[in-house]
Amino acid sequence: MTWRATVLTLFPEMFPGPLGHSLAGRALERGLWSLDARDLRAHGLGRHRAVDDTPFGGGAGMVLRPDVIDAAISDVADDRPIVVLTPRGRPLTQSRVQALAAGPGVVLLCGRFEGIDQRVIEHRAMAEISVGDYVLSGGETAALVLLDACIRLLPGVMGASDSGTEESFSDGLLEYPHYTRPAEWCGRAVPEILLSGNHAAIAAWRQTAAETITQTLRPDLWAAYQSTKGHAS
Ligand code: SAH
C-alpha cells in the first residue's frame, strides 16, 4: 500500500526537492510513497489570486486567509491526518513520526508570512507540529523534515540491515558511537572491545555508551528515560 503525502504550499516546486534523492527518492520511484504538492494559489481570490490579508488587530506582516486554506483542504481531505507546520506546535518526536508512518499518509499545510488564520486550524482539527524552537521562513523545510523522518520508516524503504530498531530515540536513548576502518587513525584507537568479537560484551558496552552520551548531551531525555525505567534518582 502506498503511503500518501499531500503538501499544501505556495511553493510546490520545492517538492520533492531533497526527497527526490537517495533512500526517499528510490522509494518514491518504487511507489512506496506518493507525493502531491498543491499550490495554495490555485484557490486564491480575484484577479491576483490573493491568499493572504492584513492581520486584524494590526501588526506587521500578512496572514493566510481561512477561506483559501479551507478550499485547498476540501480538495484533498480524506482519512489522513491534517498537519499544520507551526513553531507553536507540539515538537516533532520519533514516536509521533512512527505513528504517522503507520497510518495512511498525511496532508501537510505549510505556512508563510506571519502564519495562518487560527479559525481554519481549529475548524479542520489540524494537528499543530513544530520542528524545533526557532522560526523558519516557511513551513516547506519543516514539511520536508517530517516527510523524511516518516518515509525512512515505511515498510521496504530501509533494508533489513539498517532497520530503525537500534537507532537514536527508539528506546529513549541516543545511539552509541560508531567506528569503522582504520582501527587506528590520527593516534586515536577504536575502543578495544569492538574488535574482540564478543557480542555480549559489545552489546553491554554499547548500552553503557548510549546511557553516558544521553546523560551528557541530553539531560532532558535522560531524566525521561530514567523515569520510564522506574529508577528515577
Ligand atoms: N509569526 C510566526 C512565525 C511565522 S514563520 C510566529 O511567530 O510564530 C512562517 C511559517 O513558517 C509558519 O506559518 C510555519 O508554517 C513555518 N514555520 C516557522 N517556524 C517553524 C517551526 N519551528 N516548525 C514548523 N514550522 C515552522
Side-chain angles (χ1 to χ4, degrees):
M1 202 186 63
T2 301
W3 193 83
R4 291 183 308 122
T6 298
V7 183
L8 306 176
T9 168
L10 287 170
F11 300 96
E13 62 279 11
M14 288 187 182
F15 296 87
L19 300 181
H21 301 268
S22 189
L23 209 63
R26 284 195 298 276
L28 187 58
E29 275 169 20
R30 287 163 58 208
L32 298 177
W33 68 290
S34 71
L35 175 67
D36 183 15
R38 300 276 185 112
D39 193 349
L40 286 170
R41 191 77 61 189
H43 299 274
L45 307 172
R47 208 156 57 84
H48 297 293
R49 297 228 162 264
V51 295
D52 56 345
D53 212 325
T54 53
F56 282 126
M62 300 294 275
V63 177
L64 288 165
R65 293 176 55 115
D67 47 357
V68 171
I69 300 294
D70 196 60
I73 290 174
S74 286
D75 245 14
V76 300
D78 48 24
D79 58 336
R80 292 170 296 166
I82 304 171
V83 169
V84 55
L85 286 315
T86 162
R88 68 169 222 192
R90 288 260 188 92
L92 185 63
T93 59
Q94 189 65 12
S95 57
R96 187 64 173 266
V97 166
Q98 279 160 353
L100 285 170
V106 69
V107 176
L108 296 174
L109 174 60
C110 303
R112 277 274 155 180
F113 320 125
E114 282 309 309
I116 297 160
D117 188 290
Q118 184 60 27
R119 289 166 296 176
V120 70
I121 295 175
E122 292 166 10
H123 180 66
R124 289 288 184 171
M126 297 182 204
E128 299 183 65
I129 293 184
S130 162
V131 295
D133 290 343
Y134 41 80
V135 179
L136 302 168
S137 53
E140 289 77 12
T141 43
L144 289 168
V145 166
L146 185 152
L147 289 175
D148 184 337
C150 289
I151 290 158
R152 60 193 290 284
L153 296 184
L154 299 177
V157 173
M158 282 194 289
S161 61
D162 49 8
S163 88
T165 52
E166 264 194 32
E167 62 193 2
S168 291
F169 310 114
S170 57
D171 60 358
L173 294 174
L174 300 176
E175 200 180 45
Y176 51 80
H178 300 287
Y179 301 92
T180 186
R181 291 182 184 81
E184 189 176 328
W185 175 79
C186 280
R188 294 165 180 265
V190 163
E192 195 70 43
I193 190 94
L194 300 180
L195 311 175
S196 71
N198 181 340
H199 296 296
I202 290 170
W205 181 88
R206 285 180 167 166
Q207 177 67 22
T208 306
E211 291 178 5
T212 306
I213 286 166
T214 307
Q215 204 168 358
T216 310
L217 299 183
R218 290 292 301 274
D220 56 327
L221 288 182
W222 178 246
Y225 175 77
Q226 283 191 307
S227 62
T228 58
K229 299 282 160 182
H231 48 76
S233 52

